[in-house]
Amino acid sequence: MNIVVFGSGIAGLTAALHASEDGHIVTLVTKGALGGGCTPLAQGGVAGVYGPGDSPTVHASDTLSAGAGLADAAAVDVLVQDGAVRIAELIARGVAFDRAPDGSLLLGREAAHSHARIVHAGGDATGAEISRALVAQVRQAAIEVIEHAFLVDLVVDGGRVHGIRMLRHGGLVDLEADAVILATGGAGQLYAHTTNPLGATGDGIAAALRAGAAVTDLEFVQFHPTVLAARPAFLISEAVRGEGATLLDDEGRRFVFDSHPDGELAPRDIVSRAIARQAAAQGRPVQLDATMLGAERLSARFPTIDRVTRERGFDWAREPIPVTPAAHYLMGGIATDLDGRSSLPGLFAAGEIARTGVHGANRLASNSLLEGAVFGARAAAALGAPTRAALPFRSHFLSLSAAQSDRKRDLNEQFSREQLQQLMWDHVGLLRTQAGLAEALGTIRALRAAGPVPATLAEHEDANLLLIAEATASAALTRTESVGAHHLTVAPALIGA
Ligand code: SIN
């Protein structure tokens, strides 16, 4: 079969490699450079290596409990059962996970895990190492790579996906395929504060929505608790708290224990809300204290964080650093079965873009790289029997009509991406109210109605963000009870910037 994989994080790279090794003709398309996106930024690791007393069953139980009752047990079972094979595969493909002096894998612990079962690479550079190894494999495989292409839409005919339309070098190009695997990640750029790169504008989810694929659980947006409270946002891995760092209020008190007996290692949504509330109450960011770990251990275990925080003027070995929550991960997305199949024939999804059911209302730390590897491989395996017929490119070069240009000017007067991001942060973020959600939805709908037919890459991204913002606010409004990352308050929910 001719397969298009869009996206080059862990899910896309894995899917492309597996599909190619299974004999499919694979074209891997990516928005930026090969191996860009969220994966190389991932500090935290891959969950799923079990020491004494631990097992896939216990990992499944932790995953289900973080998911607040909304994770799908069958999907979680697949995740933890396939996990060991995928981690072994990553090692075989050249990923150098950190090891103890005796050669065994070093296991770390993160929030809401009952055991140390997380492997890292380069201390806090796990995603970068995975990306490096998989990109090297893709470069050597019989995979055509198209970089710097923007996914405009899925090509749908007769209720089936037959390829993609992309924007490349200023023109529209159609790429036909027997099946498309979307692995374009989430939509962190919906929010004023995010750990996601600038390209995380939800292009794949928006294309799937327009094509009529089932998209679900968008109201479940995970906010990472600890991002350096200085711009640009920089993640301070949960593994830092896993090693013993504490969260302190203005009086030096470990305030998260007021919200949960596990304190700093409580589920992410609980820690994030506790931080947001405390920061609002004291009028400034809370502090993450890692000083007890000492300079030597901090630089050895977290070399990237150590370097970047120092570059930003913080010496975390000597004093606590200010942290804030930021949008990190989308639990919802394109609804898939256990093999990555979407509701639309010919369309598969894997990684953050997919709603496989493994995360429910709140993802367990370090389950996302694992999910990308597991479901990227499963989607490729489900593609069907290989064929060898080559399919041609078709190109369309379109220009803006005068009418579209006029509408574009209207939008520029009324819309800015920053305005949307602040609106989402204030009303569709960590702490929500029904009134705030309704207000946000009204504003988003008005902005969408005033929007132009997108032509440039930035306009396509804005249109995608607006579409997903509408779907997210609408889904959040429909869910009238708090669960996991979707948290309704009765009091005013604005938590400030
Ligand atoms: C982190 O290092 O805290 C991020 C890990 C994750 O999001 O799973």
Side-chain angles (χ1 to χ4, degrees):
M1 292 170 76
N2 282 276
I3 307 300
V4 167
V5 177
F6 208 118
S8 64
I10 187 170
L13 293 167
T14 301
L17 284 166
H18 276 254
S20 174
E21 287 158 4
D22 286 350
H24 299 292
I25 299 168
V26 179
T27 306
L28 177 57
V29 192
T30 187
K31 186 173 182 177
L34 186 63
C38 287
T39 292
L41 301 180
Q43 296 173 2
V46 189
V49 175
Y50 307 112
D54 197 9
S55 67
T57 311
V58 184
H59 184 186
S61 154
D62 290 348
T63 302
L64 289 166
S65 98
L70 292 190
D72 172 351
V76 172
D77 195 49
V78 163
L79 181 78
V80 299
Q81 295 299 339
D82 284 13
V85 180
R86 297 284 78 88
I87 292 171
E89 177 189 327
L90 288 170
I91 294 169
R93 291 194 191 276
V95 176
F97 288 117
D98 296 337
R99 292 185 181 267
D102 68 358
S104 60
L105 288 166
L106 267 181
L107 299 186
R109 184 165 174 206
E110 289 173 10
H113 285 274
S114 57
H115 291 268
R117 62 167 73 99
I118 296 148
V119 287
H120 294 90
D124 55 5
T126 313
E129 169 61 7
I130 289 173
S131 190
R132 180 203 61 75
L134 296 187
V135 164
Q137 292 248 316
V138 163
R139 293 264 185 229
Q140 288 179 359
I143 295 173
E144 183 181 359
V145 175
I146 300 176
E147 297 175 287
H148 306 291
F150 180 86
L151 175 66
V152 171
D153 261 320
L154 294 161
V155 176
V156 185
D157 192 15
R160 188 184 170 84
V161 171
H162 287 281
I164 59 161
R165 174 163 295 183
M166 56 190 179
L167 183 62
R168 199 155 178 253
H169 304 316
L172 293 176
V173 181
D174 281 4
L175 183 53
E176 294 184 17
D178 298 311
V180 172
I181 301 177
L182 288 182
T184 56
Q189 287 297 324
L190 277 175
Y191 290 92
H193 303 276
T194 180
T195 62
N196 289 195
L198 287 173
T201 51
D203 309 326
I205 298 170
L209 278 167
R210 286 189 293 269
V215 171
T216 186
D217 285 358
L218 291 184
E219 67 273 36
F220 297 124
V221 177
Q222 182 168 75
F223 291 80
H224 195 288
T226 51
V227 169
L228 191 64
R231 292 191 188 255
F234 178 71
L235 183 75
I236 309 294
S237 177
E238 195 144 271
V240 176
R241 281 173 283 128
E243 294 281 325
T246 56
L247 285 161
L248 306 177
D249 66 14
D250 260 359
E251 290 165 7
R253 218 173 50 87
R254 291 175 69 182
F255 61 92
V256 188
F257 282 96
D258 299 346
S259 302
H260 196 281
D262 290 343
E264 287 87 358
L265 293 183
R268 252 178 210 183
D269 58 325
I270 293 171
V271 180
S272 292
R273 284 194 294 273
I275 292 174
R277 286 199 176 100
Q278 184 59 40
Q282 66 188 32
R284 65 178 112 170
V286 306
Q287 305 283 319
L288 179 71
D289 184 3
T291 55
M292 73 292 283
L293 300 177
E296 205 174 317
R297 185 157 160 214
L298 284 173
S299 66
R301 172 69 182 84
F302 304 108
T304 311
I305 303 174
D306 192 63
R307 177 178 51 77
V308 174
T309 49
R310 285 177 192 287
E311 281 167 8
R312 301 275 185 90
F314 298 96
D315 183 352
W316 68 332
R318 287 170 58 90
E319 52 191 9
I321 55 174
V323 289
T324 178
H328 185 55
Y329 192 88
L330 182 57
M331 271 74 75
I334 300 172
T336 67
D337 68 8
L338 299 182
D339 293 314
R341 273 185 213 90
S342 77
S343 64
L344 207 52
L347 178 65
F348 295 73
E352 186 177 355
I353 189 176
R355 187 275 181 202
T356 57
V358 300
H359 306 307
N362 189 25
R363 177 178 64 92
L364 187 67
S366 288
N367 267 355
S368 48
L369 291 172
L370 184 69
E371 183 195 26
V374 164
F375 288 91
R378 290 180 75 91
L383 286 168
T387 60
R388 287 278 169 194
L391 292 172
F393 280 94
R394 263 199 346 253
S395 299
H396 308 265
F397 289 91
L398 305 181
S399 61
L400 265 182
S401 72
Q404 285 168 342
S405 300
D406 286 348
R407 294 180 66 197
K408 177 170 171 259
R409 273 199 296 278
D410 286 349
L411 182 72
N412 285 343
E413 277 155 23
Q414 296 170 29
F415 172 83
S416 78
R417 196 179 290 187
E418 293 71 26
Q419 174 199 357
L420 175 67
Q421 290 166 332
Q422 195 61 47
L423 182 77
M424 293 295 286
W425 181 259
D426 288 342
H427 295 299
V428 198
L430 269 163
L431 302 168
R432 303 168 175 179
T433 64
Q434 289 278 316
L437 290 169
E439 186 189 322
L441 185 57
T443 305
I444 294 162
R445 285 194 168 142
L447 288 169
R448 278 200 78 210
V453 175
T456 66
L457 190 150
E459 287 168 354
H460 278 291
E461 286 185 338
D462 286 342
N464 289 343
L465 286 169
L466 277 167
L467 174 58
I468 299 171
E470 179 178 355
T472 304
S474 162
L477 205 48
T478 312
R479 194 174 286 280
T480 52
E481 286 178 1
S482 293
V483 55
H486 171 67
H487 192 83
L488 292 165
T489 69
V490 278
L494 275 181
I495 56 170

